[in-house]
Amino acid sequence: MRDSTTPEPLGDKPPAGAPVPVEERLPPGPQRLTKTPDPKSLDIKAHDGRAHEWAGSRRLLRLLRDLMKERGSSQAKLDNIVKLIAQDIVAEVCSIYVLRPGDVLELFATMGLKPEAVHQTRLHVEEGIVGQVAALALPLALSDAQKHPNFAYRPETGEEIYQSLLGVPILRAGRVLGVLAVQNVTSRNYTDEEVEALETVAMLLAELFAGGEIALLEDETAGAGGGRPMRLDGLMLNEGLATGQAVPHTRGIVISQVIADDPEVERGRLITAVAEMRGAIDSLLARADIAELGEHREVLEVYRMFAEDRGWIGRIDEAILSGLTAEAAVEKIQVATRARMAKVKDPYLKERLSDLEDLGNRLLHHLLDPEGTDTQDLPEDMVLIARNLGPAELLDYDAERLRAVVLEEGSPTAHVVIMARALNIPVIGRCRDIVTSVRFGDQVVVDADNEQVLLRPNEEVQESFSSMIAERDRRQEMFAATRDLPPVTSDGQRVSLNINAGLLIDIPHLHDSGADGIGLYRTEIPFMVRDTFPGVTAQTELYSRIVEQAEGKPVVFRTLDVGGDKVLPYWQGEVDENPAMGWRAIQIGLDRPAVLRQQIRALLRASEGRELRIMFPMISDVAEFDDARALLEREIERAAKKDEKLPTVVKVGLMLEVPSLVWQLPALLEKVDFLSVGSNDLFQFHFAADRGNPRLARRYDVLAPGFLKLLHSVASQANDKDVSLSLCGDMASHPLEAMALLGCGFESLSMPAPSIAPIKTMVRSLKLDPLRDLLPSWLELPDHSLRSHLKSYAEEQKVDL
Ligand code: PEP
Ligand code: MG
């Protein structure tokens, strides 16, 4: 039961139960410094000279290094390596498996297993325990390996007599190159120190493979594509089309020395590099263009706190004491961070750990390329390639030269993606294997709209994309010319075109695009990029700035729509099994009325003396709207009692996103001032198809006759009752879909700012009445989609799509 009547404390404090300070959720708490630190104060403890607990591994590392200096074939070196490791760790077996094309792990060298199994035993990733280590990119220490559900016995190896197994992944730059495993006949509990020692050795092996000292990966190290054209699929994180030359983010980071000659020298290098890195972050924050980033700056502030995380630096220091060079120590902690990231489910913590990874990369740049010389030589048209990127790392690159970003990871809510959107840079994420498939300077086509990356395309493909980009640029220029023209159809009907916004940085686009107003201001976005729950004062300030910067154009504020895919960093909600249909949006607002009331209070204050338009998201029935409206009335009464100035008019509406509400429209239309269809959610619930699931992305069409019939019916009912109606989902931003919506009876649309010009161009070339007459007959067709009918109509009528 909701308890929207229960009084909850209000004020400029976070509401009870909701926010959890970030420090409490992070091991260990970052410390804020107010000025660039003195290198001596970096809190790295003086080395007391006592034997370190990984002394064994240090000795082993030295032996391995000496071994590398000897002449001999790669196979001979590997055979010696496994022997040395087996002796050092006192195991009967030590084996190296190397990942070959097709996700196959091949036994490359062994001490203890049957020699004839070398190059014969092959396991698929995920097969057997070794396969699990590779699949999870995590170590596995098993005292009784044969009892493990993944145990796969290979008779040619003769491994049935070994009871315990410790396997660690051989990782480089986050990629699995193979697995290093030791086995013992008896049941043995491998200690954490032994696991870490083996991981350190695996790291050395990774560097030896990558540095070519052990030539076994042949052309794989030179890029999996071997110079051939390739197409890789990914996930569109920011739209756009671009071509350019590949610039791998980790270029120049080559760890050529893993084992230190003198740990104290390495500690000194670490101290200097950390101080330089902090200074560079401070300078970045002070840059004028960063100051203009509004809320984005906060993302960077949080990041800076991590640069001061003593626990993180302390762990790097410990790795140096185990015998590694400073860069190898950073890389080792990077591997551990990635392993933690793989286990963490909470998206916020994942994002924070990725900030730490980002810092690790920066630190490596400071250690290995202190002058930052290589950034001077980057191409004019660069496509940045990375496994993942932090927000600050993106800003290190000259935005003028940056054409696109391609990531192996990345999610729509990642900070780097929020930044890239603000800078209008196309981004494709989840592009598997891009890092190993590309080399510096390779030609790349990034077609974010079609979620594909083309590597080293042949000349014809490249030309066709270049002409597509030229055509896009030409259209952009043509669109720019429509800025001051009204959106009136060729038969004289004025429609209203508005933008969707969510950050201060979006507001200038309201004016550059010539839009009528902001049809959807997503208030949750500024909440999402913050680190703590904003109180009434902070919210009032933010909303006032939006209202002021809108310069009299109307702004529709949508109250907090969190839950589903919109995660608030500091809000520890329950984990919903089915988040899109879980506890979200207005349900949270009504169950935690203090949150909603604070927001309403801030909106009222920010709109004093002006009109306020406010709408509630994800309303499922009329009673829910009544409850939300009652909270608004209470806040208005409260403000009036306190003699606070009020808005001149408050218009109250809601988002129609849940199909159940369509069946209550007659009652609802009596109560609302306006309606805005959220077609993204309405569509996913109409077809029961998760809007974020790539497999379902193209399965159903918004131009399906059934879905358009629903929209047509909503528009007819709203128009009959003279209730103002808009649509603010993604559908409104595509010319053909927008044409269909106008045909259904919509007169107002809201979309991302870059879509205003193309939609206006379509509107100005459209004769609307004949389409409105024709459309109802199509709605009864049994077709999967009306796309082809609409396209033919547009062609015949010369509608400019
Ligand atoms: C929608 O659902 O169409 C909508 C505009 O809301 P959001 O995309 O923010 O969920
Ligand atoms: Mg929605």
Side-chain angles (χ1 to χ4, degrees):
M1 259 211 32
R2 285 195 301 266
D3 66 343
S4 55
T5 49
T6 312
E8 291 199 22
L10 281 172
D12 199 12
K13 282 199 209 106
V20 174
V22 64
E23 300 90 283
E24 282 175 30
R25 306 180 59 199
L26 277 170
Q31 308 281 317
R32 178 170 290 266
L33 293 186
T34 49
K35 57 180 173 38
T36 309
D38 170 355
K40 290 194 201 74
S41 71
L42 290 179
D43 203 40
I44 294 180
K45 286 180 236 85
H47 183 21
D48 56 10
R50 90 192 122 90
H52 196 270
E53 49 196 356
W54 298 335
S57 106
R58 202 153 139 187
R59 189 187 58 239
L60 177 61
L61 290 176
R62 281 188 202 289
L63 289 171
L64 288 172
R65 189 183 53 180
D66 294 344
L67 193 142
M68 279 310 115
K69 288 185 190 146
E70 289 171 13
R71 289 172 159 265
S73 70
S74 295
Q75 186 65 51
K77 283 181 185 168
L78 284 179
D79 292 344
N80 282 331
I81 288 176
V82 287
K83 258 187 229 151
L84 274 181
I85 299 171
Q87 275 163 14
D88 193 80
I89 207 159
V90 196
E92 284 84 26
V93 174
C94 175
S95 312
I96 294 173
Y97 295 81
V98 174
L99 190 65
R100 309 295 285 162
D103 279 354
V104 170
L105 289 158
E106 181 177 318
L107 180 65
F108 251 70
T110 185
M111 156 82 205
L113 297 184
K114 291 187 185 159
E116 53 272 29
V118 172
H119 299 301
Q120 299 304 319
T121 294
R122 294 201 166 131
L123 297 160
H124 273 283
V125 167
E126 287 190 7
E127 187 185 347
I129 297 167
V130 166
Q132 277 295 301
V133 171
L136 302 171
L138 292 173
L140 269 180
L142 304 168
S143 57
D144 195 347
Q146 298 187 12
K147 288 220 177 100
H148 190 277
N150 269 81
F151 180 76
Y153 169 56
R154 287 305 181 91
E156 75 274 15
T157 62
E159 63 185 339
E160 72 277 15
I161 55 169
Y162 301 107
Q163 201 177 351
S164 38
L165 184 148
L166 164 59
V168 300
I170 303 173
L171 291 163
R172 187 161 194 278
R175 298 199 61 77
V176 175
L177 302 183
V179 172
L180 173 62
V182 293
Q183 289 170 272
N184 281 80
V185 174
T186 52
S187 170
R188 170 169 172 183
N189 286 312
Y190 299 98
T191 64
D192 286 351
E193 286 72 33
E194 284 164 342
V195 176
E196 293 210 14
L198 209 61
E199 281 180 315
T200 306
V201 175
M203 208 176 94
L204 175 72
L205 282 175
E207 295 306 327
L208 296 175
F209 290 176
E213 284 170 70
I214 293 183
L216 43 73
L217 300 182
E218 295 134 27
D219 62 347
E220 289 149 49
T221 43
R228 291 186 306 277
M230 275 178 91
R231 202 197 88 174
L232 298 172
D233 295 326
L235 177 74
M236 191 267 275
L237 296 177
N238 194 29
E239 60 187 12
L241 176 65
T243 65
Q245 296 179 55
V247 173
H249 179 57
T250 48
R251 76 201 170 282
I253 302 187
V254 179
I255 301 179
S256 46
Q257 197 181 344
V258 173
I259 305 157
D261 292 325
D262 178 352
E264 282 311 315
V265 172
E266 298 304 317
R267 298 179 98 202
R269 290 182 62 222
L270 176 68
I271 287 171
T272 311
V274 169
E276 277 172 10
M277 180 186 77
R278 289 177 182 172
I281 295 173
D282 283 346
S283 319
L284 183 73
L285 278 163
R287 239 167 59 183
D289 55 333
I290 305 288
E292 278 168 19
L293 281 175
E295 307 92 327
H296 290 86
R297 202 173 179 282
E298 287 186 27
V299 172
L300 296 176
E301 291 275 6
V302 174
Y303 174 82
R304 170 193 151 140
M305 281 172 32
F306 281 87
E308 287 152 16
D309 177 348
R310 291 176 190 194
W312 178 64
I313 293 169
R315 286 194 294 279
I316 299 172
D317 188 36
E318 269 184 35
I320 291 179
L321 292 179
S322 80
L324 299 180
T325 56
E327 51 271 30
V330 176
E331 173 70 12
K332 182 169 196 282
I333 302 309
Q334 293 283 78
V335 169
T337 305
R338 283 180 207 128
R340 274 167 76 198
M341 258 161 80
K343 283 192 210 151
V344 165
K345 292 234 163 46
D346 179 316
Y348 180 65
L349 266 184
K350 237 189 164 73
E351 195 55 48
R352 298 277 72 83
L353 285 170
S354 97
D355 280 352
L356 269 188
E357 194 192 343
D358 174 357
L359 280 170
N361 288 338
R362 276 177 160 254
L363 198 49
L364 285 173
H365 275 294
H366 281 280
L367 281 164
L368 297 169
D369 180 27
E371 308 299 321
T373 41
D374 63 343
T375 51
Q376 315 292 321
D377 309 325
L378 296 178
E380 287 295 315
D381 57 339
M382 52 179 192
V383 172
L384 189 60
I385 311 284
R387 225 171 57 79
N388 210 348
L389 269 185
E393 282 185 305
L394 183 70
L395 295 171
D396 282 340
Y397 291 90
D398 178 0
E400 293 285 305
R401 298 195 214 178
L402 202 52
R403 298 283 176 271
V405 175
V406 185
L407 304 174
E408 282 207 358
E409 297 178 359
S411 70
T413 48
H415 286 157
V416 64
V417 176
I418 296 176
M419 287 286 180
R421 279 194 202 123
L423 297 167
N424 206 10
I425 298 170
V427 186
I428 292 196
R430 315 258 170 96
C431 191
R432 215 174 148 226
D433 293 337
I434 184 77
V435 171
T436 44
S437 305
V438 84
R439 280 165 301 185
F440 185 91
D442 277 350
Q443 201 61 35
V444 188
V445 171
V446 180
D447 181 2
D449 302 345
N450 293 304
E451 307 194 305
Q452 58 173 351
V453 177
L454 306 176
L455 294 184
R456 304 175 285 271
N458 62 36
E459 247 169 63
E460 277 163 36
V461 173
Q462 209 167 312
E463 266 170 31
S464 91
F465 273 97
S466 299
S467 53
M468 271 164 76
I469 293 173
E471 171 59 14
R472 245 175 112 110
D473 291 348
R474 194 189 60 75
R475 279 183 76 81
Q476 290 300 334
E477 275 170 34
M478 193 183 87
F479 290 153
T482 66
R483 182 187 174 277
D484 298 318
L485 299 176
V488 177
T489 62
S490 67
D491 49 356
Q493 305 197 45
R494 172 71 158 91
V495 297
S496 170
L497 301 183
N498 302 281
I499 66 160
N500 294 344
L503 289 166
L504 277 172
I505 205 159
D506 295 326
I507 313 295
H509 301 313
L510 168 61
H511 304 295
D512 332 318
S513 65
D516 291 310
I518 299 179
L520 166 66
Y521 185 85
R522 291 181 162 105
T523 57
E524 63 278 3
I525 304 218
F527 279 62
M528 281 160 72
V529 299
R530 290 176 65 102
D531 204 34
T532 52
F533 206 98
V536 177
T537 312
Q539 288 189 58
T540 308
E541 202 179 292
L542 172 68
Y543 305 145
S544 305
R545 284 176 71 187
I546 293 156
V547 171
E548 269 157 33
Q549 290 183 20
E551 295 173 6
K553 289 191 176 185
V555 182
V556 179
F557 285 98
R558 173 174 81 183
T559 62
L560 208 57
D561 180 8
V562 288
D565 60 339
K566 296 169 192 161
V567 183
L568 285 191
Y570 34 85
W571 188 303
Q572 250 179 342
E574 283 152 40
V575 178
D576 278 312
E577 214 160 280
N578 186 350
M581 294 204 194
W583 191 54
R584 58 177 286 201
I586 196 66
Q587 299 157 343
I588 297 180
L590 294 176
D591 294 353
R592 296 280 180 277
V595 176
L596 187 51
R597 285 182 61 193
Q598 283 193 8
Q599 187 172 37
I600 293 172
R601 189 175 300 174
L603 285 168
L604 289 170
R605 287 182 185 164
S607 313
E608 64 168 47
R610 300 184 168 110
E611 179 187 276
L612 167 63
R613 295 187 192 188
I614 182 169
M615 68 178 170
F616 302 110
M618 299 289 295
I619 295 279
S620 299
D621 68 11
V622 176
E624 226 163 34
F625 174 72
D626 288 340
D627 289 348
R629 192 181 188 128
L631 289 181
L632 171 66
E633 303 292 351
R634 269 172 76 177
E635 278 304 310
I636 294 176
E637 270 167 38
R638 181 185 173 281
K641 263 194 213 139
K642 292 192 168 235
D643 277 340
E644 284 179 15
K645 275 211 203 151
L646 284 165
T648 45
V649 190
V650 180
K651 290 202 170 151
V652 195
L654 58 82
M655 290 204 53
L656 199 159
E657 303 173 276
V658 185
S660 62
L661 202 58
V662 176
W663 304 100
Q664 285 204 296
L665 269 182
L668 185 73
L669 290 168
E670 300 296 327
K671 296 178 177 242
V672 293
D673 295 317
F674 64 92
L675 277 185
S676 187
V677 175
S679 55
N680 303 339
D681 277 309
L682 188 60
F683 179 75
Q684 79 165 341
F685 298 126
H686 177 80
F687 279 106
D690 183 342
R691 65 194 255 190
N693 186 328
R695 289 190 194 200
L696 297 174
R698 290 185 190 90
R699 193 172 190 102
Y700 305 106
D701 194 349
V702 284
L703 297 179
F707 191 59
L708 287 182
K709 192 170 174 183
L710 177 113
L711 296 175
H712 186 270
S713 158
V714 170
S716 310
Q717 295 181 63
N719 292 342
D720 281 353
K721 292 282 175 195
D722 258 343
V723 170
S724 152
L725 172 72
S726 182
L727 183 139
C728 59
D730 177 63
M731 195 181 169
S733 59
H734 305 284
L736 189 70
E737 284 80 343
M739 182 185 95
L741 289 169
L742 298 182
C744 284
F746 281 79
E747 287 168 9
S748 172
L749 302 174
S750 192
M751 63 203 76
S755 301
I756 294 282
I759 300 295
K760 197 192 277 184
T761 306
M762 180 278 291
V763 166
R764 291 179 58 82
S765 63
L766 173 71
K767 219 180 199 177
L768 189 51
D769 274 341
L771 178 63
R772 285 200 170 152
D773 291 342
L774 198 59
L775 198 102
S777 62
W778 292 343
L779 301 178
E780 303 307 325
L781 293 174
D783 303 30
H784 175 70
S785 165
L786 296 179
R787 192 165 288 275
S788 55
H789 295 267
L790 288 156
K791 265 195 186 154
S792 312
Y793 178 86
E795 261 165 42
E796 278 161 26
Q797 299 288 320
K798 304 209 166 22
V799 182
D800 194 348
L801 298 178

